[in-house]
Amino acid sequence: MQFERFAVAGPALIQPKLIGDSRGYFMEAFKDAWFREHIEDVTFVQDNQSLSAQVGTIRGLHYQKSPVPQGKLVRCLKGSIYDVAVDIRPGSATFGQWVSATLSAEKGDQLWVPEGFAHGFCTLEPDTVVFYKVTNLYSQPHDAGVAFDDPDIGITWPIDMSKAVLSEKDKVQPKLASLR
């Protein structure tokens, strides 16, 4: 596996080695010791998976508040997504800045979204399946979010925003300024 860091400290893009032949491919998707050595020393406690039927489905920007923040290791099992992590760490020099990567089933890349970042993605293909490992169990009382279209963040989503498919929850998330 290889990895790249971003200008915003914390997130990483992990690129597994695909070994392919006429039958298809094999890849190591996750190795605990490698992840701890090269990315972050964390323990994953839950796996989550979502299916988004329509192109342009935006999920996020989501995070969990203290005392149960979550880090997420995200990969796309079917289709492709535009994946985003936004720094929401109080006092961070890069507060409000974001990083992105296009993840696809074909490439197998994964995005590490550490604690202190809001996470969201936009589907680029129909029937997209996203799988992610998390470092803390889901906690409804600590579930929180930030508006995906907050101009103070300025994410450039790769779709016509008038056609974005959103949950009712994601339509009314607060602005980043509410976290300061």
Side-chain angles (χ1 to χ4, degrees):
M1 284 189 245
Q2 298 178 6
F3 67 97
E4 297 175 19
R5 294 288 184 175
F6 296 91
V8 175
L13 180 64
I14 301 165
Q15 301 151 324
K17 181 178 179 181
L18 275 70
I19 302 166
D21 60 23
S22 62
R23 300 168 296 164
Y25 70 84
F26 169 84
M27 74 175 210
E28 293 179 337
F30 178 77
K31 290 171 72 172
D32 184 70
W34 182 92
F35 193 90
R36 289 175 188 275
E37 179 182 348
H38 297 286
I39 306 300
E40 195 161 328
D41 187 11
V42 297
T43 300
F44 292 100
V45 298
Q46 181 174 316
D47 290 346
N48 299 325
Q49 186 167 316
S50 69
L51 165 69
S52 298
Q54 295 176 282
V55 172
T57 297
I58 295 178
R59 293 180 183 263
L61 303 163
H62 302 146
Y63 67 97
Q64 278 195 185
K65 296 183 276 190
S66 195
V68 288
Q70 284 184 330
K72 298 177 181 179
L73 180 59
V74 184
R75 72 180 166 129
C76 189
L77 299 179
K78 181 180 178 198
S80 60
I81 61 172
Y82 183 75
D83 206 17
V84 177
V86 179
D87 187 350
I88 58 168
R89 298 172 292 185
S92 170
T94 55
F95 182 86
Q97 293 181 27
W98 55 279
V99 301
S100 66
T102 298
L103 306 181
S104 69
E106 180 180 60
K107 288 179 64 179
D109 290 356
Q110 299 175 71
L111 183 65
W112 166 239
V113 181
E115 293 177 3
F117 284 76
H119 172 254
F121 64 85
C122 175
T123 59
L124 304 175
E125 298 180 47
D127 299 321
T128 293
V129 177
V130 176
F131 175 90
Y132 51 103
K133 303 176 92 48
V134 295
T135 60
N136 241 319
L137 298 175
Y138 174 73
S139 173
Q140 194 281 325
H142 301 94
D143 185 28
V146 178
F148 74 96
D149 59 350
D150 186 335
D152 287 343
I153 300 171
I155 297 170
T156 307
W157 296 101
I159 60 163
D160 177 347
M161 294 311 292
S162 68
K163 297 179 181 173
V165 180
L166 302 161
S167 70
E168 292 305 311
K169 171 181 147 181
D170 288 342
K171 289 178 183 177
V172 297
Q173 293 288 10
K175 302 288 186 195
L176 181 68
S178 70
L179 300 180
R180 290 190 187 256

